[in-house]
Amino acid sequence: METIVASTPWWINALLGIVVANLLVWPLASRWVESHLEIFLLMVGAAAVTISGGWSVDFIYETLQYPVNVAFIVLVVSVIFNNYSRYIFRVLFAFFRKLEPQYSFALLVFLLGITSSLVSVTVAALVLAEVLKVVNLERLSTVRITVFACYAIGLGAVLTPLAEPLGLIINNALTGAPHFADFFFLMRHFFVWIAPAILLLSAAAGYSARHAGTTMQMHIREDKETYGSMLRRTWHIYMFVAALNLISAGLRPLAQSTITHLGGKVLFLANAVSVIIDNATLAAIEIVPTISMNDLIYMVIGLAAFGSMLVQGNLPNIVAAEKLGIKSREWASVAVPTGLVLMGAYFIILWIAL
């Protein structure tokens, strides 16, 4: 894979490296940061943009506008669930009573993962969170199911150009020779790699619900959530997504200096930085029209598989964690081991198969 590596002064890369270290350490080491993660990410993102010299009027407008669609979807879906919960959850009750809990959750996570490329990752994460809010599970089971589901949603989202920018960027970059990508290009080439992982993650989610018993205890919310509460949650998610844009833009020079010249297996491992840099940003940096299919598979699987290791690594993580009140350390305690296992399994399989 041939790319032009941007030349960034060493001291800028050094300072951005310090920013990366702070992004990785403080959400897990500080309870204040854990409780005010969106504010911390905004501050660190602003510092990264300042270091890289990325401020401009257009960029400020982009940062303010970028989270609007996500925040709007979150608000609309929250209002729908809040006002029509009795009708929605009657359907869910019937679904969960037909099957034992482990099979119900396994099927739910599989459906959310496979369809996330069509319904959007935000909607998939909100549906997951709403279901978990009315199902009486132990806290650890809830966290595990959420993490496994968000991994599945993130993987499934790359199967079409509809659900998130990653798929769209890849599709647009490869529309010409030699790939001539069409709408089903990603589905044709990546379904075989992604569907088994979604199936295994669904099984893990079902296994996490095995102690719920043969009868699922659920409740319909009689007390409706206030619009003020929904607006506060929407504002928090808006700040999260704006912070992701700042971080991705601010760290772009570091990514361009360190990973754009890599390929294949090394690129797969280097894409672990997608836990802190938006995977669509990395895709835009890494992909070129002449990329080989093997390098493309390594790149896309790496970007899709690593994002859920930290709360801030992927949009569905942010939405689900905010809705369910899952803290950074809770998330990482389940997501990091899961991500390492997923990374190792994919690396070995791709190494053998490609």
Side-chain angles (χ1 to χ4, degrees), residues 161-294:
L162 293 178
E164 63 173 355
L166 175 60
L168 181 62
I169 287 170
I170 295 168
N171 230 59
N172 288 345
L174 303 179
T175 53
H179 298 287
F180 300 104
D182 58 13
F183 181 83
F184 296 103
F185 175 83
L186 294 168
M187 183 74 73
R188 285 197 303 271
H189 291 285
F190 291 98
F191 183 83
V192 68
W193 299 107
I194 286 174
I198 293 176
L199 189 61
L200 289 173
L201 289 163
S202 303
Y207 185 75
S208 299
R210 69 194 183 282
H211 295 311
T214 55
T215 57
M216 179 65 67
Q217 298 296 318
M218 306 178 73
H219 66 276
I220 296 178
R221 292 196 303 262
E222 297 294 343
D223 55 321
K224 290 188 176 182
E225 189 176 9
T226 66
Y227 283 101
S229 175
M230 287 186 283
L231 286 171
R232 280 193 298 274
R233 182 171 59 252
T234 302
W235 172 241
H236 287 165
I237 291 173
Y238 177 94
M239 288 194 290
F240 264 120
V241 179
L244 291 184
N245 192 56
L246 290 174
I247 291 167
S248 296
L251 296 181
R252 183 187 294 267
L254 180 62
Q256 288 175 327
S257 298
T258 55
I259 66 175
T260 54
H261 63 291
L262 304 176
K265 303 174 185 66
V266 181
L267 181 62
F268 174 86
L269 296 173
N271 278 335
V273 297
S274 64
V275 300
I276 53 173
I277 303 178
D278 178 54
N279 55 22
T281 298
L282 290 173
I285 293 170
E286 296 170 8
I287 197 166
V288 292
T290 56
I291 187 173
S292 70
M293 183 53 65
N294 283 1

Side-chain angles (χ1 to χ4, degrees), residues 15 25 44 49 52 74-75 112 160 185 187 205 238 266 278 322 324 334 339:
L15 289 175
V25 171
V44 173
V49 174
S52 60
V74 169
L75 182 60
L112 291 176
T160 75
F185 175 83
M187 183 74 73
Y238 177 94
V266 181
D278 178 54
E322 176 66 26
L324 295 169
V334 176

Side-chain angles (χ1 to χ4, degrees), residues 75 135 146 310 327:
L75 182 60
V135 177
T146 304
L310 298 179
K327 300 299 184 183

Side-chain angles (χ1 to χ4, degrees), residues 131-163:
V131 171
L132 287 171
K133 284 187 71 172
V134 298
V135 177
N136 295 326
L137 291 175
E138 295 178 353
R139 180 65 175 176
L140 181 57
S141 296
T142 298
V143 174
R144 285 174 174 169
I145 291 169
T146 304
V147 168
F148 297 146
C150 285
Y151 268 109
I153 291 168
L155 284 165
V158 304
L159 292 176
T160 75
L162 293 178

